[in-house]
């Protein structure tokens, strides 16, 4: 058991005796991947009820249900509000029937989702914004 005075082992050190067997397989059921992005401050402004928020981080959740193509479900923003306090804003990306994109989502939000999908390419996510063939 590690405590605060014991440093965590570095798995890349050659002195670690690590072995693994088998072939990892992901489940074809409800699989989710969260992809975080650090946003350049001032590059995006979110307006909610007439108030401007400056996001600095986005967390996009993708899901693939029973082997279906990956779909962006939601994006959570960590932002600074007009009063200077930190806030979290969550935007559901799927419509109420969960069978397509929610109407009225700004194109800039889909750009954030596309950036997250690009950075998650190693996880096997392929993604196209709504209205474009993937």
């Amino acid at each position: 058991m590690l405590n605060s005075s014991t440093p965590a082992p570095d798995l890349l050190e050659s002195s670690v005796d690590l072995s693994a067997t088998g072939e990892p397989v992901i489940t074809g059921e409800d699989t989710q991947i969260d992809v975080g992005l650090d946003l350049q401050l001032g590059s995006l402004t979110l307006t909610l009820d007439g108030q401007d928020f400056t996001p600095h981080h986005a967390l996009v959740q993708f899901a693939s249900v029973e082997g279906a193509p990956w779909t962006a479900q939601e994006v959570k923003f960590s932002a600074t509000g007009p009063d200077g306090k930190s806030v979290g804003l969550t935007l559901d990306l799927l419509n109420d029937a969960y069978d397509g994109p929610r109407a009225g989502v700004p194109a800039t939000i889909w750009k954030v989702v596309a950036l997250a999908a690009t950075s998650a390419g190693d996880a096997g996510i392929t993604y196209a914004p709504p209205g474009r063939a993937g």
Side-chain angles (χ1 to χ4, degrees):
M1 181 168 180
L2 298 176
N3 60 39
S4 59
S5 63
T6 305
D10 183 356
L11 293 180
L12 298 179
E13 288 182 8
S14 60
S15 63
V16 174
D17 184 17
L18 176 68
S19 65
T21 59
E23 291 292 324
V25 176
I26 61 169
T27 177
E29 297 168 8
D30 188 9
T31 302
Q32 294 180 347
I33 293 179
D34 293 328
V35 179
L37 297 173
D38 289 324
L39 302 172
Q40 183 175 343
L41 212 54
S43 65
L44 178 63
T45 300
L46 303 173
T47 303
L48 178 65
D49 297 330
Q51 294 186 359
D52 289 343
F53 297 86
T54 305
H56 50 84
H57 188 78
L59 184 68
V60 181
Q61 183 180 81
F62 295 91
S64 175
V65 179
E66 296 179 0
W70 288 96
T71 302
Q73 294 188 136
E74 70 179 19
V75 60
K76 295 180 181 180
F77 290 100
S78 298
T80 303
D83 57 2
K85 294 183 179 179
S86 293
V87 297
L89 302 170
T90 301
L91 178 62
D92 290 326
L93 298 171
L94 295 177
N95 61 26
D96 293 338
Y98 299 103
D99 63 357
R102 181 173 297 283
V105 174
T108 302
I109 301 299
W110 293 117
K111 289 179 183 177
V112 170
V113 171
L115 286 170
T118 299
S119 70
D122 289 344
I125 291 176
T126 55
Y127 176 80
R132 294 189 180 166

